[in-house]
Amino acid sequence: RTVAVSVRELGTSLGAFRARYRLSRREADVVELVLLGYRNRDIAATLGTSPTTVKKHLTHIFDKVGVDTRTQLVARIA
């Protein structure tokens, strides 16, 4: 698994990132785990939800941030 940097490691406040893109707390949790290189099933296990729910969160996140892929999401944050 490839490990990317987290929002906190970049020195960017996760709260500011959430506010900028109007993300819910759960969406911010998903973003942070994506940055850490987690797959949907790993995110689901970590957050105690289903991979389908994670996929729905990612769809909402992509729409809010204006990206189409995880790679674009990471690039937007970094």
Side-chain angles (χ1 to χ4, degrees):
R1 157 172 54 170
T2 302
V3 177
V5 295
S6 75
V7 171
R8 290 186 192 105
E9 289 170 345
L10 292 171
T12 303
S13 162
L14 188 55
F17 179 78
R18 280 184 59 207
R20 178 176 182 183
Y21 293 106
R22 301 178 192 265
L23 301 179
S24 70
R25 177 70 201 148
R26 186 58 104 184
E27 289 168 345
D29 292 341
V30 170
V31 168
E32 188 162 13
L33 294 172
V34 166
L35 288 171
L36 292 171
Y38 283 52
R39 296 180 182 144
N40 286 6
R41 69 174 182 256
D42 300 323
I43 295 170
T46 300
L47 298 179
T49 188
S50 73
T52 302
T53 300
V54 171
K55 199 170 191 175
K56 287 179 185 177
H57 284 308
L58 282 169
T59 298
H60 293 148
I61 292 163
F62 290 172
D63 288 345
K64 290 178 180 182
V65 177
V67 297
D68 297 313
T69 67
R70 291 165 105 90
T71 303
Q72 289 174 348
L73 177 63
V74 170
R76 176 70 48 96
I77 295 167

